[in-house]
Amino acid sequence: MRVMLIEDDRETAEFIQRSLTELNWTVTWCDQPKDGILQLSTGSFDCVILDRMLPDMDGIAVVQLLRGAGVATPVLMLTARGGLDDRVAGLEAGADDYLGKPFAISELVARLRSIARRTPRAAEQTLYELDDLRLDRVARQASRSGTTLDLSPLEFKLLDCLLGHVNEVVTRTMLLEKVWGYRFDPKTSLVQTHMSRLRAKVDKPFATELIRTVRGSGYIIGET
């Protein structure tokens, strides 16, 4: 197995490299994310071990750049930040699995073997366009009729989720899980409040309404 390791901590990297080499795996270590991105875009690897906290570039940004460039190599993200929001952010950015530090080598190996066995993912769509609405997932920017939309991170996630299901109903439960990471209903108007703010920015200043409420179900985005 050929493994790309992007990790800036020498002690951790040497431990991983030594342990995996004992399995006759080939490990290429890069302590700078830009070097790792370059090698992944030009070389062939079975999987990637990617540290969440890196100098100059966050691990989330690294995996977004890889997916945006069409690099489908499975990614296991390592982090000392094991909160639900951090795990969701990593997985939604395009990582295939998430492992908290400290970790056991046996678990690391098992997870790497698991993601390497999976069917290679298709390159994820990085640009959504609907009528005069445009959302760039890599640049994290949205615009309509050439006007940049000043969206909060949550509003961007909501719009991204809707555009991933054009002309399909996206339920309130789906939004709670995908945007907030909730596995339960908080029994609040959280979704309605943020959707109202999003629609005020995406629809109200323009002639055509793209986001519509489906009463009793959720929301739908599409050309009318």
Side-chain angles (χ1 to χ4, degrees):
M1 180 120 73
R2 293 194 63 197
V3 180
M4 165 60 68
L5 172 60
I6 305 177
E7 167 66 70
D8 66 309
D9 182 76
R10 176 175 291 275
E11 184 176 350
T12 301
E14 289 180 346
F15 171 62
I16 293 174
Q17 192 169 37
R18 182 174 62 253
S19 300
L20 298 185
T21 300
E22 289 174 354
L23 297 172
N24 292 319
W25 292 9
T26 300
V27 181
T28 300
W29 171 37
C30 293
D31 60 356
Q32 296 296 321
K34 291 181 180 179
D35 295 337
I37 292 170
L38 178 61
Q39 292 201 47
L40 282 163
S41 63
T42 58
S44 177
F45 294 87
D46 296 299
C47 55
V48 182
I49 303 172
L50 173 64
D51 187 27
R52 174 70 165 79
M53 303 299 291
L54 291 164
D56 303 325
M57 190 181 299
D58 184 89
I60 296 291
V62 172
V63 76
Q64 286 175 334
L65 285 172
L66 290 173
R67 299 309 186 217
V71 177
T73 309
V75 174
L76 171 66
M77 190 169 284
L78 293 179
T79 182
R81 300 168 61 178
L84 176 61
D85 289 345
D86 293 306
R87 295 198 304 274
V88 169
L91 294 170
E92 289 193 339
D96 295 83
D97 203 352
Y98 211 92
L99 183 60
K101 296 179 180 179
F103 55 86
I105 280 294
S106 57
E107 183 177 7
L108 175 68
V109 169
R111 287 176 179 267
L112 291 174
R113 283 175 170 157
S114 177
I115 64 174
R117 285 195 299 265
R118 296 174 189 172
T119 303
R121 65 162 74 213
E124 293 190 9
Q125 187 170 350
T126 59
L127 180 66
Y128 288 129
E129 291 184 294
L130 175 66
D131 194 18
D132 57 346
L133 176 63
R134 187 176 189 274
L135 183 142
D136 188 327
R137 303 181 77 194
V138 177
R140 309 292 291 178
Q141 293 181 344
S143 63
R144 186 159 184 197
S145 294
T147 301
T148 299
L149 302 177
D150 183 19
L151 303 181
S152 70
L154 270 174
E155 290 163 355
F156 186 92
K157 282 186 177 183
L158 282 169
L159 184 58
D160 179 56
C161 187
L162 291 172
L163 287 170
H165 299 83
V166 172
N167 293 321
E168 299 175 12
V169 175
V170 180
T171 68
R172 182 173 174 273
T173 301
M174 289 170 63
L175 291 172
L176 283 169
E177 181 174 328
K178 290 179 176 293
V179 177
W180 283 274
Y182 287 171
R183 304 289 180 179
F184 61 93
D185 187 343
K187 305 296 183 183
T188 68
S189 59
L190 185 68
V191 174
Q192 294 91 322
T193 298
H194 285 278
M195 281 299 302
S196 177
R197 292 172 182 169
L198 175 66
R199 296 174 75 174
K201 296 177 181 180
V202 172
D203 281 343
K204 285 190 177 178
F206 304 94
T208 306
E209 180 184 77
L210 295 177
I211 303 172
R212 302 185 301 281
T213 300
V214 180
R215 191 173 300 278
S217 298
Y219 303 89
I220 189 169
I221 190 168
E223 297 180 66
T224 56

